[in-house]
């Protein structure tokens, strides 16, 4: 069994992570840390887990008793935590924040996108889990990058559910503002663009084009739906063959022949991708569940790869029929 610790245990991502791990055939949760909830039942916060677990939050962090710890902190807190604490050298870390996603000399974190880094993930001790928007957009664009098609600016629009903003309420997440509403935020400057560029450069070899990304807040809880427009003279048949080939060995990412929609992936670890050609423009659509393939589902997928077990263990989730 893989022995697991969870830090930042009261947030949306931690709740989803616990939901996956308590049903994982080869995982055992040793501790879920939350100082503000220490002593309380997990179900006092994550009420959807009633009947599934009697785990209790703790303010302790017995790292010596675990094989891997998931960092479910907000962005910027993971690096500070590591500086301030003595961690066992042999403990593996999967960080869900953005602190280590960009390669740098001062850390050894592997970018945890299995579709392009599976071999590195299998040998890694430290994983930087990709961002949710970044996962969805990259999975749409990476096959095009492999074919060398990203030679001019790429227009990207993507909409995300309210859970993408985390559990702490804000002026743009409370129900009365979000319901029956739509808005953009951080146009052209979203924090996920650098990691998207990093992966596209890795696959294509270089990227001179801009990624013009406009993120939208949606009036639904979970899911991401993205469109990407690429200018290319390549034939649609060659493009589709390239996409099918790229994802032939990816258990959760699938090229689909017809138009996709977000309900097909919500509550699953799947990513779906579809392409259409309009003259010299290639329209790519991609969608994921932001909390699963965009966060903890992918994190568990990375854990499975790190420990050499079935990559899909604990992750064969089915979407709702309606």
């Amino acid at each position: 069994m893989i022995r697991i610790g969870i830090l930042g245990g009261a947030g949306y991502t931690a709740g989803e992570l616990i939901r996956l791990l308590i049903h994982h055939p080869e995982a055992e949760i040793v501790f879920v840390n939350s100082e503000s909830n220490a002593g309380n039942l997990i179900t006092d916060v994550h009420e959807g887990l009633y009947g599934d677990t009697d785990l209790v939050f703790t303010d302790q962090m017995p790292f010596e008793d675990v094989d891997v710890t998931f960092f479910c902190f907000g962005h910027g807190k993971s690096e500070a935590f590591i500086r301030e604490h003595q961690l066992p050298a042999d403990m593996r870390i999967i960080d869900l924040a953005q602190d280590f996603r960009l390669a740098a000399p001062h850390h050894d974190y592997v970018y945890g996108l299995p579709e392009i880094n599976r071999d590195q993930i299998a040998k890694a001790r430290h994983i930087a889990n990709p961002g949710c928007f970044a996962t969805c957009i990259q999975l749409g664009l990476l096959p095009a990058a492999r074919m060398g098609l990203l030679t001019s600016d790429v227009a990207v629009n993507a909409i995300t559910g309210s859970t993408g903003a985390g559990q702490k309420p804000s002026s743009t997440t409370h129900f009365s503002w979000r319901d029956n509403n739509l808005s953009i935020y951080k146009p052209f400057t979203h924090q996920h663009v650098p990691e998207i560029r990093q992966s596209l450069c890795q696959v294509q070899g270089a990227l001179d084009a801009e990624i013009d990304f406009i993120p939208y807040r949606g009036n639904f809880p979970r899911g991401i739906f993205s469109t990407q427009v690429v200018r290319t003279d390549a034939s649609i048949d060659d493009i589709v063959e390239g996409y099918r080939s790229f994802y032939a060995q990816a258990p959760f990412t699938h090229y689909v022949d017809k138009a996709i929609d977000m309900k097909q992936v919500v509550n699953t670890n799947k990513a779906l991708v579809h392409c259409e050609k309009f003259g010299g423009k290639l329209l790519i659509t991609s969608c994921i569940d932001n909390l699963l393939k965009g966060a903890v589902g992918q994190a568990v997928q990375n854990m499975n790869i790190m420990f050499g077990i079935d990559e899909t263990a604990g992750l064969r989730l089915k979407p709702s029929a309606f």
Side-chain angles (χ1 to χ4, degrees):
M1 297 291 280
I2 303 168
R3 300 170 302 161
I4 294 162
I6 299 173
L7 301 178
Y12 283 141
T13 54
E16 283 290 280
L17 179 60
I18 296 165
R19 180 172 73 91
L20 294 181
L21 292 176
I22 58 179
H23 297 294
H24 192 293
E26 300 194 46
E28 175 192 359
I29 300 175
V30 174
F31 72 88
V32 180
N33 177 271
S34 171
E35 292 188 6
S36 61
N37 289 282
N40 296 331
L41 288 167
I42 299 292
T43 51
D44 288 344
V45 173
H46 304 302
E47 297 179 348
L49 297 178
Y50 279 127
D52 291 324
T53 182
D54 56 2
L55 283 168
V56 174
F57 289 109
T58 179
D59 57 2
Q60 302 301 301
M61 296 178 288
F63 295 123
E64 67 280 0
D65 295 334
V66 302
D67 302 305
V68 59
T69 297
F70 290 85
F71 285 27
C72 298
F73 295 135
H75 300 311
K77 294 183 179 179
S78 297
E79 190 169 14
F81 181 89
I82 290 169
R83 284 197 309 267
E84 295 164 4
H85 294 81
Q86 187 71 35
L87 305 179
D90 61 347
M91 185 186 75
R92 302 186 194 196
I93 294 172
I94 299 177
D95 181 27
L96 281 92
Q98 68 182 27
D99 300 32
F100 301 106
R101 290 174 185 163
L102 299 183
H106 69 276
H107 72 75
D108 65 350
Y109 282 71
V110 171
Y111 188 68
L113 192 69
E115 287 77 5
I116 58 171
N117 288 333
R118 183 173 285 100
D119 291 345
Q120 298 96 306
I121 292 166
K123 297 180 287 187
R125 302 208 69 80
H126 302 138
I127 295 292
N129 216 59
C132 52
F133 269 134
T135 296
C136 189
I137 294 165
Q138 287 175 90
L139 294 177
L141 290 174
L142 284 167
R146 174 63 56 82
M147 291 181 275
L149 303 183
L150 306 185
T151 58
S152 60
D153 293 356
V154 180
V156 179
N157 291 277
I159 185 167
T160 186
S162 58
T163 53
Q167 193 172 39
K168 187 177 181 180
S170 73
S171 61
T172 58
T173 59
H174 65 73
F175 178 81
S176 60
W177 188 89
R178 197 112 178 186
D179 188 47
N180 291 316
N181 201 3
L182 191 66
S183 63
I184 66 170
Y185 69 108
K186 298 181 181 178
F188 305 107
T189 62
H190 195 277
Q191 66 270 15
H192 289 182
V193 172
E195 63 183 281
I196 295 169
R197 291 191 62 88
Q198 175 177 258
S199 294
L200 296 177
C201 287
Q202 174 185 333
V203 171
Q204 185 165 278
L207 183 67
D208 295 327
E210 295 293 326
I211 305 298
D212 293 331
F213 174 33
I214 310 296
Y216 291 76
R217 303 180 183 94
N219 64 339
F220 50 90
R222 58 196 296 162
I224 293 177
F225 190 91
S226 175
T227 62
Q228 305 108 47
V229 178
V230 175
R231 293 184 178 275
T232 177
D233 294 326
S235 73
I236 188 62
D237 289 341
D238 288 344
I239 291 168
V240 169
E241 177 57 31
Y243 271 73
R244 289 193 180 282
S245 175
F246 193 93
Y247 292 126
Q249 303 302 316
F252 293 110
T253 302
H254 309 284
Y255 181 81
V256 180
D257 282 324
K258 59 184 180 180
I260 58 177
D261 62 74
M262 200 172 64
K263 273 193 175 181
Q264 294 167 326
V265 298
V266 169
N267 292 318
T268 80
N269 197 52
K270 295 178 186 177
L272 300 184
V273 183
H274 173 69
C275 295
E276 296 180 60
K277 195 80 187 299
F278 298 88
K281 297 176 183 177
L282 172 65
L283 172 64
I284 307 160
T285 52
S286 55
C287 58
I288 63 170
D289 184 306
N290 59 294
L291 290 176
L292 290 169
K293 184 58 175 170
V296 300
Q298 187 154 240
V300 171
Q301 186 179 354
N302 284 324
M303 180 192 76
N304 292 342
I305 296 170
M306 292 172 82
F307 286 90
I309 64 175
D310 178 3
E311 184 174 341
T312 69
L315 293 170
R316 286 302 189 190
L317 310 167
K318 296 181 179 180
S320 169
F322 301 101

